[in-house]
Amino acid sequence: MEIKQNLIDLTIEELEEELNMMGQPRFRAKQIFQWCHKGVMSIDEMTNISKDLRQILKDKFRFDRLKIRNRLVSNIDGTIKYVLEYADGNIIESVLMKYKHGFTACISSQAGCKMGCKFCASTGIDFGRNLTGGEMVDQILTIQRDQGIRVSNVVIMGIGEPLDNYDNLIRFLKLVNHKEGLNIGLRHISVSTCGLVPKIIKLAEENLPVTLSISLHAPNNEMREKIMPVNKTYSIDKLIEACKIYTEVTGRRVTFEYAMVSDLNDSQESAKELSKRLKGMLCHVNLIPVNSIEGNEFKRAKMDKIQKFKNILEKQGIETTVRRELGSDIDAACGQLRKSMTNDLSILKE
């Protein structure tokens, strides 16, 4: 049985081709695209399109929309964690964060993750499938519709490895940036990766002005291999070289995410070693007090050690910040989003 394509996955150009084959005027493509990206819940809500064309669309395409299975709101800062379900039953998570500059959505790129990073909450969750570009957009639309707000910034740091879903990631960037859709500037989008070197170079060749965020978390190969299996395939040296290529091609600064784990990677020696690797690069280091996750031995570094670590990097001219913690009471911090969900999901499915 042929699976219908989801209407929200199509670009305006693809819609024009489909309509042309149906004998419909091409200008309808813009109207349909606009409705899809306004977040309407059904094709029947596309009121400036004839009933006959709406029926043709329903016969030809799926029009799946995400279902909100759970919503947790932080009592500390208002951060909202969403447990969302696709039509096929795959469940992911998204987070809405409020900053002075506006609202940021942290979205997932896959239902599950294959990378196996030991400190990450997504590890241990079965991999379902890649998300399509339209399904990634729908996370933002669902959040906007639920809260009555406009998302202005996006970080693709939720469940999954974005560069392991490369083609759908690129489609998402084109859809979300389109002026007839959400029109979110690419400079307001961050793409996170654990370090898939060939895909980093490929992304550089796209020359899209997105921010590349690297989950680094260690200053050397020996330490990184203990917590990030990907390092056995792509060493830190290869990863840093790929990042240099990215900055040279795009002119964009790379962000290195560094989860601070007590008695693992938080020493002054680690800070000095990291400084030597990154000195002179167009980059920024984001120090993240690691979240404690059930069944995980990693403990958060003490704040005084984090501050000393930061000072060492800054003395070498490396811009460094300590990530502001959001939604700590609902396990909402990007990068460790999911393990606390498993109990919630088993309850929700009963």
Side-chain angles (χ1 to χ4, degrees):
M1 182 177 176
E2 184 181 356
I3 299 175
K4 294 179 181 179
Q5 191 169 10
N6 195 357
L7 193 60
I8 195 173
D9 281 325
L10 275 64
T11 65
I12 286 184
E13 293 75 20
E14 289 168 339
L15 283 168
E16 286 177 345
E17 290 180 13
E18 292 286 346
L19 289 165
N20 185 53
M21 288 188 290
M22 298 175 192
Q24 297 287 334
R26 297 169 72 91
F27 74 86
R28 294 292 185 197
K30 178 178 174 181
Q31 295 173 321
I32 295 167
F33 186 89
Q34 288 174 333
W35 281 117
C36 287
H37 293 263
K38 285 179 181 177
V40 296
M41 296 300 291
S42 72
I43 290 173
D44 284 328
E45 293 180 51
M46 301 180 183
T47 52
N48 61 350
I49 298 170
S50 70
K51 287 185 179 180
D52 288 344
L53 179 53
R54 278 182 258 164
Q55 187 58 54
I56 292 172
L57 293 175
K58 285 188 280 187
D59 292 340
K60 173 82 173 174
F61 300 101
R62 295 172 14 243
F63 193 70
D64 298 338
R65 283 305 197 203
L66 275 164
K67 181 187 295 184
I68 298 174
R69 295 298 301 265
N70 203 358
R71 182 195 300 102
L72 302 176
V73 183
S74 170
N75 291 319
I76 298 172
D77 50 46
T79 296
I80 304 174
K81 180 175 74 172
Y82 288 91
V83 180
L84 304 172
E85 182 178 5
Y86 288 102
D88 63 359
N90 274 292
I91 293 176
I92 55 93
E93 187 175 293
S94 305
V95 176
L96 178 66
M97 299 165 285
K98 185 176 182 179
Y99 294 91
K100 291 180 180 178
H101 59 257
F103 290 96
T104 295
C106 178
I107 66 170
S108 297
S109 56
Q110 297 175 311
C113 186
K114 308 171 190 173
M115 298 298 111
C117 301
K118 291 187 178 180
F119 56 85
C120 181
S122 296
T123 297
I125 303 297
D126 290 340
F127 180 80
R129 62 173 175 82
N130 288 327
L131 302 183
T132 67
E135 288 175 329
M136 294 168 69
V137 171
D138 201 21
Q139 294 174 56
I140 302 169
L141 296 174
T142 300
I143 290 170
Q144 290 191 155
R145 184 173 60 247
D146 184 63
Q147 293 298 309
I149 52 90
R150 183 182 186 278
V151 167
S152 56
N153 294 267
V154 179
V155 290
I156 311 172
M157 293 184 181
I159 298 165
E161 163 57 54
L163 296 189
D164 187 44
N165 186 18
Y166 188 86
D167 291 341
N168 285 316
L169 169 68
I170 298 302
R171 178 171 288 264
F172 162 77
L173 294 174
K174 292 177 179 178
L175 289 171
V176 80
N177 178 239
H178 200 285
K179 65 180 181 178
E180 301 298 342
L182 286 171
N183 195 25
I184 297 176
L186 294 180
R187 292 180 182 275
H188 295 273
I189 298 175
S190 294
V191 176
S192 176
T193 177
C194 66
L196 302 185
V197 167
K199 296 297 177 65
I200 291 172
I201 295 171
K202 189 175 181 180
L203 184 63
E205 292 169 353
E206 305 275 358
N207 203 12
L208 301 171
V210 296
T211 297
L212 181 65
S213 294
I214 304 294
S215 295
L216 189 62
H217 309 310
N220 57 57
N221 289 314
E222 181 181 6
M223 189 182 297
R224 195 167 190 259
E225 284 180 12
K226 291 178 181 178
I227 58 174
M228 301 185 73
V230 69
N231 201 79
K232 296 175 183 178
T233 304
Y234 305 114
S235 68
I236 285 185
D237 290 335
K238 291 179 180 177
L239 177 56
I240 297 299
E241 184 59 34
C243 291
K244 289 179 179 178
I245 291 171
Y246 188 87
T247 61
E248 289 168 4
V249 172
T250 66
R252 299 284 290 166
R253 181 180 71 171
V254 170
T255 293
F256 290 102
E257 308 284 352
Y258 194 99
M260 299 291 291
V261 182
S262 180
D263 298 324
L264 176 68
N265 63 356
D266 62 340
S267 68
Q268 294 184 46
E269 289 74 22
S270 290
K272 291 173 183 176
E273 189 174 2
L274 183 63
S275 297
K276 289 179 182 178
R277 284 195 179 277
L278 303 185
K279 189 173 182 179
M281 278 191 68
L282 181 61
C283 70
H284 162 251
V285 174
N286 195 14
L287 301 178
I288 308 167
V290 74
N291 288 319
S292 297
I293 301 169
E294 187 177 350
N296 187 312
E297 74 272 21
F298 300 116
K299 304 299 179 185
R300 176 177 304 202
K302 294 181 180 178
M303 191 52 68
D304 63 329
K305 295 189 77 171
I306 295 175
Q307 190 59 50
K308 289 177 182 177
F309 200 102
K310 178 176 183 287
N311 292 342
I312 290 170
L313 292 173
E314 289 181 330
K315 284 180 181 178
Q316 296 301 317
I318 301 169
E319 184 177 340
T320 308
T321 55
V322 178
R323 176 176 287 177
R324 174 188 168 200
E325 188 176 15
L326 293 174
S328 60
D329 56 330
I330 57 170
D331 301 309
C334 287
Q336 285 103 28
L337 285 172
R338 188 165 180 180
K339 193 152 280 185
S340 63
M341 286 173 54
T342 53
N343 290 334
D344 296 342
L345 299 183
S346 63
I347 292 170
L348 286 168
K349 288 182 176 180
E350 290 176 357

